[in-house]
Structure formats: C-alpha cells, structure tokens
Amino acid sequence: MTEDQGRAGIGGERQAQETILLDEPTTADLRSKVTEAWREFATALAAMLAKLPSGANVELTLDPTASGTGDAVYSVTVGVADEGGINALAVGNASLPPGYRMDRAAVANLVELGWSPPGVVEGSGDQFGLRSSTSEAVRLATAISRTLRDVYGAPHPAFLVYLVHDAEDEPLPVEPLGTARPETLLDEEEVALAERVVRGTESDEVIALDEQVRTVVAAMMKSAPDQLQVDSDGDIGIRAGSAMVFVRVRDNPPLVDVFSPVLTEVDPTEQLYVKLSELTNRMPIGRLYCTNDTVWASIPVFGRNFQPTHLMLAVQVMTGLADELDDRLHGEFGGKRFFGEGDKPAHRDEDDHRTGMYL
C-alpha cells in the first residue's frame, strides 16, 4: 500500500466512525464524571481508614506539578493511634507561600468541616488538627475529600498523590484510592513492556488494545500504567495547562479517541460555528465541534493494526492544541475552561440549566 492509499483509507474510515467519535452522551456530562470520581475516592478512603493498623500513616497531597500550584503543597496527613484513634493534620497558611494562602472563607470552611485551628489539637503545631477514630472512617473520609476538593482546590482526585506506610515507615499495600495516584515507581517489567510497545517491536505476544494504550500513555507521562488518571468510564485524563485531555479506547470498531472539552457553558452562536469550521479546516488531523454548550476537540487513532507512534502524535497534538485553543476561544466567546478559575459562563436565563464544569 502506498502512502497516498493509506491516507485515503484512513480518511474514509475516519468519516465512517465520526458519529461514534463525536456526539456521545457519556462525554457530555463532565460534572457527573467528576462527582463520581470524588465519590469513588471518598468511599475507597473510608474503607482503607477503617482497616489501617496502629502506627500506620497516610499522606495525601495535591500534586503541585499537575495542579499548577507551584511551590505550594496542599496536603492532609492521617495517623492511626492505639485503640483505633486517628489524628489528622491539614496544611495551614504558615506552610504556604504568599499568594497561595487561604483566605478567611477557606479557613472558615475548614472549621466547618471539623478541623480545629492550628495549635488547638495537641501536636498539630501550625497545621489544622482533627481527632477521629476508625469507627468514624466514613465521616472522616468525607471531611478529607471535601477539604482537598473544596478548600485546597483539587479539580479531580486524579491530581492527588498518596503514600501509605506502617509504623516502621515501610510501604503498606492498600487498595487503590479511586483515581488518586500512589507514590510508586515503574518496575523493570513495566519499563520493558513500555519500551516494547512504544517502539512497536514485533512480538508473538498478543497485547490487548487498552493495555497498549495505557502503556504508551504511561511511557509518555513517565509513569506506571496503574498510576494513570482513569475515571469510572475508563477514560485516561491528562492535564494540559488549563485544559484536560481524555483518551478513550473503543472495542467495536477498535478505535482510540483522544478528545478534550475545550470550553463549557458557551453560547453556540453562528460566529462560534464559523470559527470552529475555520480552525478545523486548518488542522492537519482531528476536528473541532460544538454540541449543546460544549466545544470539543477530537482526534481519532485507529485500533486495527495499532501504531503507538500515531497515538503519541495524537496526544502531543491534542495537549498542545487544547491548552492553546481554550484560552483563545474563551477570550472570544466566553464560557468556562476546564481549569480556568474565575471563568464566567455566558449569560443565560435562570431556568435554562446547563451542565457546568465544576462542582
């Protein structure tokens, strides 16, 4: 097959699958996806806290490299004492650099969630303290989840990193905390698998498409496949500046969809459709489109005779494209960016309810 024939085949197959790639209802309700992710995280955290042995410690941190908080490290630490007692600490302003410190409203929210001001709980020092027990694991997990989400501003539990260790400071194996990422490194077997898949070397071993995709994305992120940000729909999430890119594997037909909700709560005006059409015509691959009040960008990668380099190119293009386009389109048409704090949606009637981006 010549290169031109290959391009023609790809173009025809892409057109045939457009309806599958674009307008899927499950990609539209982002608020539901984020809400479910936090629910899964809180449930898993409660189950873990209820079972931790005496002396165990849990560290939960909002990853500053992924969340864009720079030198500010927002974290919650939980320690299990004798007879099921739990001592929890949440970072306070004394540990945060100027510009990232909490205002009075945030401090009030911490107190409302059950945290005592720094120094009140014995041993809390300059951190907020909370005394609980393993029998109240559900209540404590809820308070911690809301602290990380509502006070510290974690947009999604996938941006949390956790470490669990015992009284001897040895790693303690636990069940995954939803989409939060454990602090572990790639082992030699995973490195070898990533290299084999990314390089596309021939092998008699048949590797499932979803496994190949996870391995390729993990290699690009310099992470382990089981540390990827995967939501309840199986979508892999990748932070790209103020945008979020998702990678979804489809079985029938075998297809990998790399897509991003560029803007939400935007007015679908004629000017917007014209702009998206113009931008799509200038894109080498993929397309931009608007459904309801959300602007999407999508690049398909074919799963049949899967080529890792095609997926790597799609992810690279989409992460750069989404982060640039959401700023450009937001400045022209308004709406909300995925991680655009302070973005205001276009004016709507109060009775016109639309699904937003944030909780």
Side-chain angles (χ1 to χ4, degrees), residues 4 53 75 92 136 224-225 228 254 270 275 282 284 287 301 318 333 352-353:
D4 289 340
S75 62
E136 296 181 318
L228 293 174
E270 181 180 354
K275 172 64 73 172
R282 284 152 49 186
R287 65 167 291 186
V301 176
M318 183 59 74
F333 299 100
D352 183 16
H353 174 71

mmCIF file of all heavy atoms in Angstrom, residues 4 53 75 92 136 224-225 228 254 270 275 282 284 287 301 318 333 352-353:
data_model
loop_
_atom_site.group_PDB
_atom_site.id
_atom_site.type_symbol
_atom_site.label_atom_id
_atom_site.label_comp_id
_atom_site.label_asym_id
_atom_site.label_seq_id
_atom_site.Cartn_x
_atom_site.Cartn_y
_atom_site.Cartn_z
ATOM 1 N N ASP A 4 -0.170 7.412 -0.158
ATOM 2 C CA ASP A 4 -1.414 8.091 -0.523
ATOM 3 C C ASP A 4 -2.622 7.194 -0.314
ATOM 4 O O ASP A 4 -3.686 7.635 0.142
ATOM 5 C CB ASP A 4 -1.360 8.541 -1.981
ATOM 6 C CG ASP A 4 -0.395 9.699 -2.177
ATOM 7 O OD1 ASP A 4 -0.070 10.381 -1.174
ATOM 8 O OD2 ASP A 4 0.034 9.918 -3.327
ATOM 9 N N PRO A 53 -3.828 -0.504 60.420
ATOM 10 C CA PRO A 53 -3.344 -0.932 61.739
ATOM 11 C C PRO A 53 -2.766 0.235 62.527
ATOM 12 O O PRO A 53 -2.501 1.314 61.982
ATOM 13 C CB PRO A 53 -2.245 -1.938 61.373
ATOM 14 C CG PRO A 53 -1.725 -1.448 60.054
ATOM 15 C CD PRO A 53 -2.923 -0.899 59.329
ATOM 16 N N SER A 75 -1.675 19.466 51.556
ATOM 17 C CA SER A 75 -1.655 18.060 51.937
ATOM 18 C C SER A 75 -2.453 17.809 53.209
ATOM 19 O O SER A 75 -2.681 18.711 54.018
ATOM 20 C CB SER A 75 -0.210 17.574 52.142
ATOM 21 O OG SER A 75 0.405 18.296 53.207
ATOM 22 N N GLY A 92 -1.671 24.348 56.970
ATOM 23 C CA GLY A 92 -2.172 25.687 57.274
ATOM 24 C C GLY A 92 -1.387 26.751 56.536
ATOM 25 O O GLY A 92 -0.415 26.463 55.826
ATOM 26 N N GLU A 136 -15.315 5.953 62.776
ATOM 27 C CA GLU A 136 -15.918 7.091 62.090
ATOM 28 C C GLU A 136 -15.220 7.357 60.752
ATOM 29 O O GLU A 136 -15.109 8.492 60.303
ATOM 30 C CB GLU A 136 -15.851 8.338 62.965
ATOM 31 C CG GLU A 136 -16.650 8.230 64.254
ATOM 32 C CD GLU A 136 -16.577 9.502 65.080
ATOM 33 O OE1 GLU A 136 -15.471 10.072 65.183
ATOM 34 O OE2 GLU A 136 -17.623 9.922 65.593
ATOM 35 N N ALA A 224 3.738 4.775 35.678
ATOM 36 C CA ALA A 224 3.337 3.378 35.533
ATOM 37 C C ALA A 224 1.892 3.334 35.034
ATOM 38 O O ALA A 224 1.099 4.217 35.344
ATOM 39 C CB ALA A 224 3.448 2.644 36.870
ATOM 40 N N PRO A 225 1.527 2.304 34.252
ATOM 41 C CA PRO A 225 0.157 2.223 33.738
ATOM 42 C C PRO A 225 -0.901 2.305 34.825
ATOM 43 O O PRO A 225 -1.957 2.909 34.625
ATOM 44 C CB PRO A 225 0.144 0.864 33.018
ATOM 45 C CG PRO A 225 1.562 0.665 32.581
ATOM 46 C CD PRO A 225 2.385 1.223 33.706
ATOM 47 N N LEU A 228 -2.001 5.943 36.063
ATOM 48 C CA LEU A 228 -2.663 6.896 35.200
ATOM 49 C C LEU A 228 -3.979 7.358 35.812
ATOM 50 O O LEU A 228 -4.605 6.645 36.592
ATOM 51 C CB LEU A 228 -2.937 6.261 33.827
ATOM 52 C CG LEU A 228 -1.705 5.930 32.985
ATOM 53 C CD1 LEU A 228 -2.126 5.178 31.726
ATOM 54 C CD2 LEU A 228 -0.939 7.195 32.622
ATOM 55 N N PRO A 254 -12.449 -1.220 16.771
ATOM 56 C CA PRO A 254 -11.291 -0.868 17.601
ATOM 57 C C PRO A 254 -10.803 0.533 17.251
ATOM 58 O O PRO A 254 -10.418 0.815 16.118
ATOM 59 C CB PRO A 254 -10.259 -1.945 17.243
ATOM 60 C CG PRO A 254 -10.702 -2.487 15.924
ATOM 61 C CD PRO A 254 -12.178 -2.374 15.901
ATOM 62 N N GLU A 270 -23.741 31.464 15.740
ATOM 63 C CA GLU A 270 -23.288 31.247 14.362
ATOM 64 C C GLU A 270 -21.814 31.597 14.219
ATOM 65 O O GLU A 270 -21.062 30.919 13.517
ATOM 66 C CB GLU A 270 -24.124 32.097 13.402
ATOM 67 C CG GLU A 270 -23.742 31.919 11.934
ATOM 68 C CD GLU A 270 -24.593 32.767 11.008
ATOM 69 O OE1 GLU A 270 -25.553 33.404 11.484
ATOM 70 O OE2 GLU A 270 -24.290 32.797 9.794
ATOM 71 N N LYS A 275 -16.135 29.945 13.338
ATOM 72 C CA LYS A 275 -14.765 29.885 13.845
ATOM 73 C C LYS A 275 -14.277 28.444 13.966
ATOM 74 O O LYS A 275 -13.150 28.122 13.557
ATOM 75 C CB LYS A 275 -14.686 30.588 15.202
ATOM 76 C CG LYS A 275 -13.346 30.424 15.919
ATOM 77 C CD LYS A 275 -12.205 31.055 15.161
ATOM 78 C CE LYS A 275 -12.265 32.567 15.250
ATOM 79 N NZ LYS A 275 -11.053 33.210 14.666
ATOM 80 N N ARG A 282 -8.000 24.122 9.114
ATOM 81 C CA ARG A 282 -6.565 24.379 9.189
ATOM 82 C C ARG A 282 -5.825 23.322 10.006
ATOM 83 O O ARG A 282 -4.595 23.333 10.069
ATOM 84 C CB ARG A 282 -6.333 25.753 9.812
ATOM 85 C CG ARG A 282 -6.613 26.876 8.818
ATOM 86 C CD ARG A 282 -7.058 28.158 9.480
ATOM 87 N NE ARG A 282 -6.210 28.573 10.603
ATOM 88 C CZ ARG A 282 -6.505 29.612 11.376
ATOM 89 N NH1 ARG A 282 -7.596 30.323 11.149
ATOM 90 N NH2 ARG A 282 -5.710 29.932 12.364
ATOM 91 N N PRO A 284 -4.259 19.698 10.740
ATOM 92 C CA PRO A 284 -3.788 18.567 9.925
ATOM 93 C C PRO A 284 -4.553 17.282 10.220
ATOM 94 O O PRO A 284 -4.766 16.462 9.334
ATOM 95 C CB PRO A 284 -2.307 18.440 10.318
ATOM 96 C CG PRO A 284 -2.232 19.052 11.693
ATOM 97 C CD PRO A 284 -3.244 20.148 11.700
ATOM 98 N N ARG A 287 -10.737 17.324 14.525
ATOM 99 C CA ARG A 287 -11.721 18.363 14.242
ATOM 100 C C ARG A 287 -12.220 19.009 15.530
ATOM 101 O O ARG A 287 -12.053 18.466 16.627
ATOM 102 C CB ARG A 287 -12.900 17.782 13.460
ATOM 103 C CG ARG A 287 -13.710 16.766 14.232
ATOM 104 C CD ARG A 287 -15.026 16.460 13.536
ATOM 105 N NE ARG A 287 -15.940 17.593 13.578
ATOM 106 C CZ ARG A 287 -17.196 17.539 13.139
ATOM 107 N NH1 ARG A 287 -17.655 16.436 12.601
ATOM 108 N NH2 ARG A 287 -17.972 18.593 13.222
ATOM 109 N N VAL A 301 -7.638 7.717 16.575
ATOM 110 C CA VAL A 301 -6.497 6.847 16.253
ATOM 111 C C VAL A 301 -7.061 5.443 16.077
ATOM 112 O O VAL A 301 -7.782 4.948 16.946
ATOM 113 C CB VAL A 301 -5.434 6.844 17.376
ATOM 114 C CG1 VAL A 301 -4.313 5.866 17.052
ATOM 115 C CG2 VAL A 301 -4.874 8.246 17.586
ATOM 116 N N MET A 318 -3.009 17.045 20.676
ATOM 117 C CA MET A 318 -4.199 17.439 21.424
ATOM 118 C C MET A 318 -3.845 18.226 22.685
ATOM 119 O O MET A 318 -4.516 19.214 23.014
ATOM 120 C CB MET A 318 -5.025 16.222 21.795
ATOM 121 C CG MET A 318 -6.325 16.556 22.518
ATOM 122 S SD MET A 318 -7.423 17.615 21.550
ATOM 123 C CE MET A 318 -8.013 16.435 20.351
ATOM 124 N N PHE A 333 -15.242 34.011 22.946
ATOM 125 C CA PHE A 333 -16.633 33.579 23.088
ATOM 126 C C PHE A 333 -17.071 33.344 24.531
ATOM 127 O O PHE A 333 -18.219 32.986 24.788
ATOM 128 C CB PHE A 333 -16.862 32.286 22.274
ATOM 129 C CG PHE A 333 -16.611 32.452 20.809
ATOM 130 C CD1 PHE A 333 -15.415 32.031 20.249
ATOM 131 C CD2 PHE A 333 -17.560 33.049 19.995
ATOM 132 C CE1 PHE A 333 -15.176 32.187 18.888
ATOM 133 C CE2 PHE A 333 -17.332 33.205 18.635
ATOM 134 C CZ PHE A 333 -16.136 32.776 18.080
ATOM 135 N N ASP A 352 -32.736 28.143 32.392
ATOM 136 C CA ASP A 352 -32.013 27.365 31.382
ATOM 137 C C ASP A 352 -30.827 26.698 32.048
ATOM 138 O O ASP A 352 -29.741 27.242 32.115
ATOM 139 C CB ASP A 352 -31.559 28.288 30.252
ATOM 140 C CG ASP A 352 -30.861 27.516 29.134
ATOM 141 O OD1 ASP A 352 -31.013 26.283 29.108
ATOM 142 O OD2 ASP A 352 -30.177 28.153 28.312
ATOM 143 N N HIS A 353 -31.029 25.492 32.567
ATOM 144 C CA HIS A 353 -29.971 24.781 33.296
ATOM 145 C C HIS A 353 -29.054 24.070 32.316
ATOM 146 O O HIS A 353 -29.475 23.379 31.414
ATOM 147 C CB HIS A 353 -30.559 23.759 34.252
ATOM 148 C CG HIS A 353 -29.521 22.909 34.915
ATOM 149 N ND1 HIS A 353 -28.665 23.390 35.874
ATOM 150 C CD2 HIS A 353 -29.199 21.608 34.725
ATOM 151 C CE1 HIS A 353 -27.862 22.409 36.262
ATOM 152 N NE2 HIS A 353 -28.150 21.337 35.566
#
